[in-house]
Amino acid sequence: MSTLTLISQNQCFGGWHRRFRHHSDSVNGDMTFAVFLPPGCQPETPMPVLYWLSGLTCTDENFMQKAGAMRTAAELGLVLVAPDTSPRGSDVADDADYDLGQGAGFYLNATQAPWSQHYRMFDYVTEELPALIESQFPVTNLRSVSGHSMGGHGALVCGLKQPERYRSISAFSPISHPRQCPWGEKAFRHYLGDDQDSWKEWDSTELMSRASITLPTLVDQGLADEFLQQQLQPQHLQQAADMRGYPLTLRQHPGYDHSYYFIASFIEEHLRFHYQHLMA
């Protein structure tokens, strides 16, 4: 099991926010993640975990610093874990644009060179990181997953591809149909190649339309989001849910944009949604 190196720690709402670095076999390099341990989180009182996946250009720090989630997590007894959004380092393939490469891992397993050497974020966030968290911290094996934008895409894909690993899914402003939007088309072509049939395995709309196991799923979307029509396209996700009878709740909010102001406005409701299903 990987050795953890503590980067920083801060007491918050009676618990602890800590950042760690460790070697990841999945991405063949070092990864960073943050964890919030609520007060009373001890080996004799382990707590369930919500994994948060952040969006393009973000790191583990955005959610922990901006979302305002720790007050409610401390109240509920809910551990928060936020990994970085991609592998990083001088030997890791990158691109000059913000929507590809470091900071833009898209939570998939790349199959194309040079990306396939490091970009296996799906394996990292669904298998390696939970195994590490459950071996090193006083948590249960009850998990839920959430995220924003590219991370909302990631949360949906993780829960839809491996529903047995999670109790619930939520997302803010997810890239809902990535194989048919500019961000997704660019990332998928580089990471997965030109065979668009293979892209369907990483597209939440496609996965939801044929899901055999369902999970309670909550999605919030701001209607003043500048990326709504071209990049996010939540209507496709709703159509897939309607066709499949998938338990999706899609809430649309006039006036809200793509920022962390939107996330901070509704994060408490997401935490309580997940806690309800984690403790059911």
Side-chain angles (χ1 to χ4, degrees), residues 221-228 252-259:
Q221 175 63 59
L223 293 180
D225 191 320
E226 63 269 39
F227 304 114
L228 175 58
Q252 302 186 73
H253 304 274
Y256 285 92
D257 59 18
H258 199 71
S259 71

Side-chain angles (χ1 to χ4, degrees), residues 60-207:
D60 63 283
E61 295 184 276
N62 296 74
F63 175 73
M64 292 298 197
Q65 293 182 6
K66 296 181 179 181
M70 286 184 272
R71 181 192 296 273
T72 301
E75 173 198 332
L76 296 174
L78 184 59
V79 174
L80 305 176
V81 174
D84 201 351
T85 53
S86 75
R88 298 180 192 267
S90 59
D91 63 335
V92 176
D94 200 8
D95 189 86
D97 291 335
Y98 75 95
D99 54 358
L100 183 70
Q102 296 185 36
F106 269 82
Y107 304 102
L108 50 72
N109 289 337
T111 59
Q112 303 299 301
W115 314 101
S116 55
Q117 183 178 357
H118 296 285
Y119 285 77
R120 300 189 63 83
M121 287 296 294
F122 179 78
D123 285 352
Y124 177 71
V125 298
T126 61
E127 297 180 16
E128 185 177 10
L129 182 59
L132 180 63
I133 295 297
E134 289 163 23
S135 71
Q136 299 292 317
F137 299 95
V139 302
T140 70
N141 63 357
L142 300 177
R143 315 175 196 98
S144 289
V145 62
S146 185
H148 171 233
S149 194
M150 178 187 72
H153 143 78
L156 289 164
V157 167
C158 289
L160 289 163
K161 287 177 74 71
Q162 294 198 355
E164 71 282 356
R165 299 186 66 85
Y166 302 100
R167 292 294 186 93
S168 52
I169 310 167
S170 78
F172 290 85
S173 315
I175 304 172
S176 296
H177 203 9
R179 77 184 190 93
Q180 292 191 15
C181 79
W183 278 340
E185 289 176 5
K186 178 178 179 178
F188 284 8
R189 195 170 301 281
H190 282 81
Y191 294 146
L192 303 173
D194 292 331
D195 179 9
Q196 296 192 22
D197 282 341
S198 70
W199 298 6
K200 295 179 181 179
E201 295 305 310
W202 304 101
D203 185 300
S204 54
T205 292
E206 300 285 349
L207 294 168

